[in-house]
Amino acid sequence: MSGTTRNAPTKATYSWRVVDIVVAAVVSVACGVIFWLWDQGYVGVQAATAAFAPLGGIYAGGWVIAGVLGGLIIRKPGAALFCEILAAVVEALLGSQFGLAVLLSGLVQGAGAEVAFAAFRYRRWNLGVSLLAGALSGLALGVSEVIIYFPEWEFGWQAVYTVLAVISGAVIAGLLSWLAVRGLARTGALSAFAAGRAADV
């Protein structure tokens, strides 16, 4: 019997545990608060970039951090999408000036990060993958926002905004999320996760 137990197939790596759900929810709520605070700062950004509005894309990365951070910590399919959408729900509940449109944004931006992690079959979690996840989230944000919010802009402006959103996503969401996970892992706070034990953090 004991031998049977030892030889039994291990549980699928991609199945979610209770601790995964709880931590993903905590990360999402925290990021939702950050999103709401980021919303407040956007008023100043709009004023500062009034002369050339596409420069506002530089600020966009703060809105895609939930998917990248959640994906890096949980390391399972759907984590990036779950965290970005739930964070958007929290942002909306706190009274975002963008209203319920943030839910669509959360879906699209979370999908961007999810594509990056899926491209490496949820097996690579290094800095390069994190930067790619942030960049693709930024790309999703840039494309969706020029369609929804800035359709009147000429193509050149839309392209500049989208490129800046990609760069911002890579730096703010990709780089900072990777550094945050690395820092948390060193404190032992992520010991229940592969992210807290792997050599790539």
Side-chain angles (χ1 to χ4, degrees), residues 1-178:
M1 183 63 182
S2 59
T4 302
T5 301
R6 285 196 299 271
N7 294 329
T10 56
K11 193 175 182 179
T13 305
Y14 294 154
S15 62
W16 283 54
R17 304 165 299 166
V18 172
V19 67
D20 295 328
I21 297 171
V22 171
V23 171
V26 171
V27 169
S28 300
V29 171
C31 288
V33 174
I34 292 173
F35 285 179
W36 181 79
L37 292 172
W38 212 253
D39 293 346
Q40 313 315 305
Y42 185 62
V43 177
V45 172
Q46 282 183 304
T49 60
F52 186 58
L55 287 177
I58 296 174
Y59 190 73
W63 283 304
V64 298
I65 196 169
V68 181
L69 183 60
L72 289 176
I73 292 175
I74 307 300
R75 297 190 170 193
K76 291 177 180 174
L81 197 58
F82 175 92
C83 291
E84 192 72 32
I85 292 175
L86 185 53
V89 170
V90 173
E91 178 187 9
L93 291 175
L94 289 175
S96 170
Q97 65 263 41
F98 302 110
L100 294 179
V102 298
L103 303 181
L104 176 60
S105 297
L107 174 64
V108 173
Q109 294 156 21
E114 199 72 46
V115 167
F117 295 134
F120 292 91
R121 302 174 64 185
Y122 299 96
R123 293 180 179 177
R124 292 184 181 273
W125 306 97
N126 55 30
L127 176 59
V129 175
S130 184
L131 292 175
L132 178 62
L136 291 183
S137 282
L139 176 62
L141 180 151
V143 172
S144 63
E145 291 203 348
V146 297
I147 293 173
I148 297 172
Y149 298 113
F150 312 120
E152 75 281 6
W153 284 359
E154 62 184 46
F155 178 75
W157 280 36
Q158 293 178 335
V160 169
Y161 182 85
T162 301
V163 169
L164 291 177
V166 169
I167 295 171
S168 180
V171 174
I172 297 178
L175 177 59
L176 295 186
S177 293
W178 186 79

